[in-house]
Amino acid sequence: SQTIHQWPATLVQPVGSPLSLECTVEGTSNPNLYWYRQAAGRGLQLLFYSVGIGQISSEVPQNLSASRPQDRQFILSSKKLLLSDSGFYLCAWSGYYNSDDINYGYTFGSGTRLTVV
Amino acid sequence: AQKITQTQPGMFVQEKEAVTLDCTYDTSDPSYGLFWYKQPSSGEMIFLIYQGSYDQQNATEGRYSLNFQKARKSANLVISASQLGDSAMYFCAMIPAGSGNTGKLIFGQGTTLQVKP
């Protein structure tokens, strides 16, 4: 069965420090991978998605970057964190490849709660 | 523009009663998928139910049913016999087929449901 691992669960980082959040998927190959951010009490904002190794698309300009060094690994990074980077970060994978797969939806990781102080 | 609108920021329901969470969507794609997710206070995103745009019947999954009115572009979630464990934030989401192979999931802002004993 497919599983998705995301860590760490919580993180408190000072302003200006670097960030690295990792997400790995098991039990599937060539998944679509996504990073979402959720502000407190709000909806999910898509930050990055990847349809293959080395292929990263950014949805919003920001202080963050993403990389996919391996098929089932997706990393969210920042060189210097800002206060506004605080939030709940969710990684997800999908087996969606075309409109025939539209019922695949997503499987989400357990999330990382990031507080920048 | 493709958009999901949830107009109820918060709702209360008495235990054992039914509740309807509203969702309207906007897309020009003839083919799309609609999803509902539950997010308890732990932050995990739990898939509840899926409705395809060409499905003739409303989707049902246990106590969850989706009231799909295509002409009105609405996809309301109905929870029957509410339980205390249903207290959570609920998100309506959509994948338009026109998203190509990216499978980008568009989320609404969410509705917080509180079940009263």
Side-chain angles (χ1 to χ4, degrees), chain A residues 55-95:
Chain A
Q55 300 180 58
I56 307 295
S57 296
S58 174
E59 285 292 291
V60 292
Q62 60 210 314
N63 186 42
L64 303 168
S65 62
S67 62
R68 185 171 177 173
Q70 300 179 42
D71 181 42
R72 287 169 285 184
Q73 184 184 30
F74 204 24
I75 298 171
L76 183 69
S77 304
S78 174
K79 292 182 179 178
K80 290 185 178 181
L81 283 168
L82 306 172
L83 288 174
S84 57
D85 292 324
S86 294
F88 189 59
Y89 289 82
L90 282 159
C91 178
W93 80 272
S94 170

Side-chain angles (χ1 to χ4, degrees), chain A residues 32 34 36 38 96 102 106, chain B residues 37 39 50 100-103 105:
Chain A
N32 283 0
Y34 310 86
Y36 281 85
Q38 183 181 22
Y96 179 97
I102 205 164
Y106 282 18
Chain B
Y37 286 87
Q39 187 182 42
Y50 163 80
N101 68 337
T102 65
L105 198 57

Side-chain angles (χ1 to χ4, degrees), chain B residues 52-92:
Chain B
S53 59
Y54 292 118
D55 292 343
Q56 295 296 315
Q57 294 189 336
N58 287 343
T60 60
E61 290 286 348
R63 293 187 299 111
Y64 304 107
S65 60
L66 200 151
N67 184 2
F68 181 47
Q69 297 188 44
K70 194 170 183 176
R72 295 185 177 183
K73 293 191 174 180
S74 74
N76 299 339
L77 177 70
V78 180
I79 305 175
S80 63
S82 297
Q83 302 172 357
L84 295 178
D86 293 335
S87 294
M89 197 158 188
Y90 289 80
F91 290 98
C92 181

Side-chain angles (χ1 to χ4, degrees), chain A residues 32 34 36 38 41-44 46 49 51 59 88 90 94 96-99 102-111 113, chain B residues 31-33 35 37 39 41-45 47 50 89 91 95-97 99-110:
Chain A
N32 283 0
Y34 310 86
Y36 281 85
Q38 183 181 22
R42 303 296 301 277
L44 277 71
L46 179 63
Y49 67 92
V51 299
E59 285 292 291
F88 189 59
L90 282 159
S94 170
Y96 179 97
Y97 299 110
N98 55 58
S99 59
I102 205 164
N103 63 332
Y104 266 78
Y106 282 18
T107 299
F108 286 87
S110 52
R113 205 167 297 278
Chain B
S31 177
Y32 48 88
F35 303 81
Y37 286 87
Q39 187 182 42
S41 56
S42 60
E44 61 184 312
M45 293 288 284
F47 166 75
Y50 163 80
M89 197 158 188
F91 290 98
I95 293 181
S99 64
N101 68 337
T102 65
K104 291 189 287 184
L105 198 57
I106 302 165
F107 283 88
Q109 289 300 301

